[in-house]
Amino acid sequence: MRDGFRLPGYGGAAVFLRSHAVPATVFESDVPTLVFDVGLLNHNRFNQYLSRHTDEGFVERLAAFFFHAAADFHPEKSLPAFTDERLGLMISVCSSTDREVELDFSLAEDPESEDTERDEMTFETSRVVLATSAQTVSRLTGGVTTHFDGEL
């Protein structure tokens, strides 16, 4: 089963996440492994990175980041960058207004290498979209996030 998530931005930009379980035999483990496909879309390109592993609590930490990016008065000053080392993803807030937040996404092409190229994209989205995304991203693991405790 695959569950998808899309964070839309202005001008047609978007970030896509899709989770799926990989059978235990593929990664020689005892249990199936949850992995994520990541897509970065802007007006002239779409790059997709498949079957990426994540650090523990990835979805919960991402939901909290989106919530604080939407709710903080100046998230570019108050919110540390979101990082997931295993996935190779870093998200930071560049700037914000009362209605919009500009996000910078940086994804390592090979998260296991220290000297890897990074695929980077910056776009603006609304605070309403970020607040909604904070709740809907939990679908990637089958959970539901209805509140945030203020911790990142």
Side-chain angles (χ1 to χ4, degrees):
M1 179 166 161
R2 294 177 185 245
D3 285 313
F5 166 80
R6 178 178 69 99
L7 175 66
Y10 298 124
V15 171
F16 299 90
L17 292 171
R18 183 175 56 186
S19 63
H20 53 99
V22 175
T25 55
V26 173
F27 293 119
E28 299 176 5
S29 66
D30 296 331
V31 295
T33 303
L34 187 66
V35 295
F36 293 83
D37 299 339
V38 181
L40 302 177
L41 171 72
N42 68 19
H43 65 281
N44 63 358
R45 69 181 169 98
F46 176 66
N47 292 338
Q48 191 170 21
Y49 301 88
L50 305 176
S51 298
R52 295 282 186 105
H53 295 271
T54 61
D55 293 330
E56 189 69 30
F58 165 70
V59 169
E60 294 80 8
R61 292 183 298 111
L62 185 59
F65 178 84
F66 287 156
F67 175 77
H68 288 285
D72 290 5
F73 285 115
H74 297 287
E76 65 276 12
K77 296 177 183 175
S78 63
L79 189 60
F82 172 87
T83 59
D84 190 285
E85 296 292 327
R86 282 190 83 193
L87 184 64
L89 178 66
M90 183 169 70
I91 308 170
S92 57
V93 178
C94 303
S95 64
S96 65
T97 65
D98 290 345
R99 295 187 178 134
E100 300 167 351
V101 177
E102 182 181 27
L103 299 171
D104 181 60
F105 293 84
S106 178
L107 185 66
E109 291 185 8
D110 180 5
E112 296 178 9
S113 172
E114 290 188 25
D115 292 335
T116 186
E117 295 286 322
R118 297 193 71 84
D119 192 353
E120 298 182 345
M121 181 175 73
T122 301
F123 68 81
E124 290 182 345
T125 191
S126 75
R127 288 181 182 264
V128 171
V129 165
L130 281 172
T132 303
S133 296
Q135 292 183 339
T136 59
V137 74
S138 63
R139 291 185 311 198
L140 293 172
T141 57
V144 176
T145 302
T146 58
H147 70 280
F148 300 93
D149 62 6
E151 298 293 321
L152 287 178

